[in-house]
Amino acid sequence: MNVLVIGGGAAGMMAAAAASEAGADVILAEKNEKLGKKIYITGKGRCNFTNACLPDDFLANVTGNPRFMYSSFCAFDNRAVMDYFEKNGLKIKVERGNRVFPLSDKASDVTRTLETVLRKNRVRIMLRANAKELLIKGGAAAGAIVDTPEGQKTIRADKVIVATGGLSYPSTGSDGDGYRFAKALGHRIVNTFPSLVSLRAKLPGDMSVRDMAGLSLKNVRLLVYDGKKKKYDGMGEMLFTHEGISGPIVLSLSAMLDKKYLESETALRGLETSIDFKPALSLKTLDDRLLRELDEAKNKNVKTVMRRLLPESAITAVLMQAGVPAELAVHELTRQQRGGICNALKNFRLILTGLGGYNEAVVTRGGIDVKEIDPATMRSKLIPGLYFAGEVLDIDALTGGFNLQLAWSTGHAAGKGVMNE
């Protein structure tokens, strides 16, 4: 059995490893000068390659088509992935949030481990090999036409696995090739969006957040409502950028928003979005604390007192939403104005205006419609002999190692699938 795997990222390498371990003769074609280029930048170069949560909890962190993932994940789950890498020589560790990393903190060790497996199984690795077109013979996948440094080549195969990634981090070679291949063969492509990405945002009155850029916040709460319906409630860290907001809880928000908000700026702007700077304090407790701070500084202005409650770069915007002049003397502050400050601290309003770009997105949301893919083998239901794996599919998850696990599980399923059908 001759198998061609197109794409040498996480899903492609795992697919090639699984197929070769099952006895296939495998060619792995990668357009870049090395394998696993995107792996090198994951986890800030440390590669959070899976999550050690209980397997039953894993799918709760999959935001895009978790039901589709059930079969492939059960066949090769997070525990199996950890065992696989350890068995092949990678020492690992588990950190906060059950995030799993190589003990060395080097993403290159994850790629090197897989390369060792591929070479041991005699996978033929072709670098700088850019697949341009899939070959179809008798209605079935039969290989691909590939550009190489030596010129264009035709690679024939009994089965083809496409694992070309999505659109995120295009500098790593993710430029949508897989979508083009699939669409040309009749597959439906679900609209794609950057995910696990920053959000563009403004202050009320369409005022820029630029003056708050660089502000990093810990232990805050981010709330999003559509009317009375709560759309998101996240606690943790976030930061302000020149164009909006980012950080862990913002990335999660970008992955969990309904697509209708991403498709329309009007719908996105209509969401009621707010930050609670003091989630551990009730409104009454916060008012009591503010009153104490004011009593100790009666001869100062309000802005000076606010430095005891907030970072400097947040004070002006909070007081503006409270309707309180920053230079107002403390002894002139009314009870109503004090209440306005407390409300602004507990309900600091933002207006979301859009997503950050693919160049900063961790993953792509959307992709090949999974209704047209067999969930156990990743086989195309439209084209015999054709398989898809990884981010090219309409699957995605939250941060914490979950997205790479999707790549491992679907890649493994595809690699095994080509030999079982």
Side-chain angles (χ1 to χ4, degrees), residues 11-38:
M13 284 191 288
M14 184 57 75
S20 61
E21 287 167 352
D25 293 321
V26 181
I27 294 176
L28 175 57
E30 165 56 43
K31 67 165 60 173
N32 288 308
E33 72 286 356
K34 62 183 179 181
L35 297 177
K37 197 166 184 180
K38 188 175 178 182

Side-chain angles (χ1 to χ4, degrees), residues 345-376:
L345 287 169
K346 296 290 289 181
N347 185 33
F348 182 78
R349 290 171 290 124
L350 292 170
I351 298 169
L352 302 180
T353 61
L355 291 168
Y358 284 111
N359 62 317
E360 61 173 287
V362 176
V363 294
T364 305
R365 187 173 178 181
I368 298 170
D369 191 344
V370 295
K371 293 177 182 177
E372 300 171 349
I373 306 297
D374 179 78

Side-chain angles (χ1 to χ4, degrees), residues 106-125:
K106 294 180 179 179
S108 57
D109 286 346
V110 174
T111 303
R112 189 175 297 113
T113 299
L114 288 170
E115 283 187 282
T116 299
V117 173
L118 296 177
R119 297 187 190 284
K120 181 180 71 174
N121 294 339
R122 298 182 180 179
V123 172
R124 180 185 170 193
I125 300 171

Side-chain angles (χ1 to χ4, degrees), residues 5-6 22 73-74 107-108 142 148 242 260 365 390 403:
V5 179
I6 302 174
F73 178 72
C74 287
S108 57
T148 75
H242 284 87
K260 67 179 182 180
R365 187 173 178 181
N403 283 288

Side-chain angles (χ1 to χ4, degrees), residues 76-87:
F76 195 57
D77 66 14
N78 50 343
R79 299 291 174 176
V81 165
M82 293 164 68
D83 290 343
Y84 183 89
F85 277 98
E86 286 189 300
K87 180 186 73 174

Side-chain angles (χ1 to χ4, degrees), residues 9 15 22 54 67 95 144 148-149 167 173 175 253 288 305 323 329 342 352 358:
L54 293 174
R67 288 186 180 181
E95 295 188 358
T148 75
L167 293 167
D175 57 7
L253 169 60
D288 289 343
V305 175
C342 290
L352 302 180
Y358 284 111

